[in-house]
Amino acid sequence: MFAAKLPFDVTRVPFYYGWAILLLAVLAMFSSLPGQTAGIAAFTQPLCAVTGLSDLQLSIAYLLGTATSGLVLPSAGRLVDRLGARRAYCMTTACLALTLFTLVKVLQQLKPAAEFATPVFMVTMACGFLAVRFFGQGLLPIIANTLVGKWFDRRRARAAALLGVVNGLAFSYAPKAMSDLVDLYDWDGGWLRLALVLGLGVTAIAWLFCRDTPEACGLSVDGEQGSTTTAQTAVVDRPATEAVRSLEFLVIALMLCAHGTVLTGYTFHLQSNGPE
């Protein structure tokens, strides 16, 4: 089912197929929006109304879900390596769609007890946020970057830059797009429509067009002729245990952590802070 030449042979495409893979990486980043803070922010006030939770209680549930997701993501990255990006792509979008659908149905069933079941809603939202963050904010970006890394070597910087530009534009517009979706269909209708698009549309596109590596398809990295082996870039390899203790890693990790923490907190409360 996931053979490299199914449903078609990419070697017959009249251009380097890595550029199609780059578009699929862009699609993966777009598909991650339901699990990104920029995509969840528009749902915070409707969720508070449905669950009876305060902004603080909902943000605590979000913190617990996000932190737990972050703890298990390293293992998920190794799972992507074992399964292959194509299989992981299909499974992740399907699981994210199922998570959104299940969360809507559970909250609809619990809604009549909103005034009396604050602990239940806290646990439910923490588990729901764990799942949407794991599949959306975590796995899909990992898959997108894995695809770019496997299909590009000399042109990797250009491909990553294009992915980053589109990613930035998408995330900038996401709060407005999600807010319009909530205005049109309410929070539950919005999530159900996103689940439908992800579960049927994106999953099908991933299966049809995604491929794990150029070598598996009989192509060479970057589309260079005369070799089907991976192009080698001069790098200094370090064991993971040594790398995580290096000053370079700690500086970059702390910088990204500080940036992500502040941006996530501000974006999550975008609706409640908006009127102010």
Side-chain angles (χ1 to χ4, degrees):
M1 183 176 180
F2 290 95
K5 293 190 177 182
L6 289 177
F8 63 91
D9 187 354
V10 302
T11 59
R12 298 181 180 180
V13 174
F15 56 87
Y16 177 53
Y17 199 72
W19 298 113
I21 294 295
L22 179 60
L23 292 178
L24 289 168
V26 169
L27 179 62
M29 297 303 292
F30 271 93
S31 300
S32 75
L33 285 174
Q36 300 281 1
T37 307
I40 294 174
F43 294 86
T44 55
Q45 294 308 300
L47 287 174
C48 285
V50 169
T51 61
L53 299 177
S54 66
D55 285 341
L56 177 60
Q57 289 170 328
L58 190 67
S59 64
I60 290 173
Y62 192 68
L63 170 63
L64 294 174
T66 300
T68 307
S69 170
L71 291 175
V72 298
L73 269 178
S75 299
R78 290 190 287 271
L79 182 63
V80 172
D81 291 335
R82 288 199 298 269
L83 293 176
R86 185 186 187 188
R87 192 187 304 266
Y89 199 154
C90 295
M91 292 175 60
T92 301
T93 52
C95 287
L96 181 56
L98 181 61
T99 298
L100 293 173
F101 177 82
T102 303
L103 191 54
V104 167
K105 295 304 178 182
V106 170
L107 291 178
Q108 286 176 339
Q109 292 297 317
L110 292 176
K111 184 178 179 180
E115 296 181 5
F116 313 102
T118 296
V120 174
F121 277 110
M122 285 283 290
V123 173
T124 300
M125 292 311 304
C127 293
F129 284 142
L130 163 61
V132 296
R133 295 289 277 170
F134 178 75
F135 294 117
Q137 183 266 345
L139 268 180
L140 281 172
I142 288 175
I143 293 167
N145 287 297
T146 297
L147 286 170
V148 170
K150 288 183 178 296
W151 282 82
F152 294 94
D153 186 67
R154 289 189 307 102
R155 300 175 181 174
R156 187 177 300 160
R158 182 185 305 174
L162 290 172
L163 179 63
V165 169
V166 176
N167 184 34
L169 293 174
F171 278 51
S172 297
Y173 187 69
K176 176 65 168 61
M178 293 297 181
S179 181
D180 291 342
L181 188 66
V182 173
D183 290 341
L184 284 172
Y185 303 110
D186 208 352
W187 69 274
D188 49 355
W191 266 353
L192 288 175
R193 281 164 175 78
L194 288 172
L196 183 65
V197 170
L198 288 168
L200 297 182
V202 179
T203 302
I205 291 172
W207 179 78
L208 284 170
F209 299 107
C210 188
R211 301 293 186 273
D212 289 329
T213 64
E215 294 87 354
C217 301
L219 297 172
S220 56
V221 178
D222 291 320
E224 295 177 342
Q225 300 298 321
S227 174
T228 58
T229 59
T230 303
Q232 297 295 321
T233 302
V235 295
V236 177
D237 289 328
R238 293 185 182 181
T241 53
E242 178 184 337
V244 297
R245 292 196 299 267
S246 66
L247 178 61
E248 298 92 333
F249 175 85
L250 292 175
V251 169
I252 294 174
L254 289 174
M255 179 181 65
L256 292 175
C257 181
H259 175 267
T261 301
V262 173
L263 188 61
T264 296
Y266 178 80
T267 306
F268 185 78
H269 293 286
L270 197 60
Q271 278 199 335
S272 57
N273 292 335
E276 301 176 6

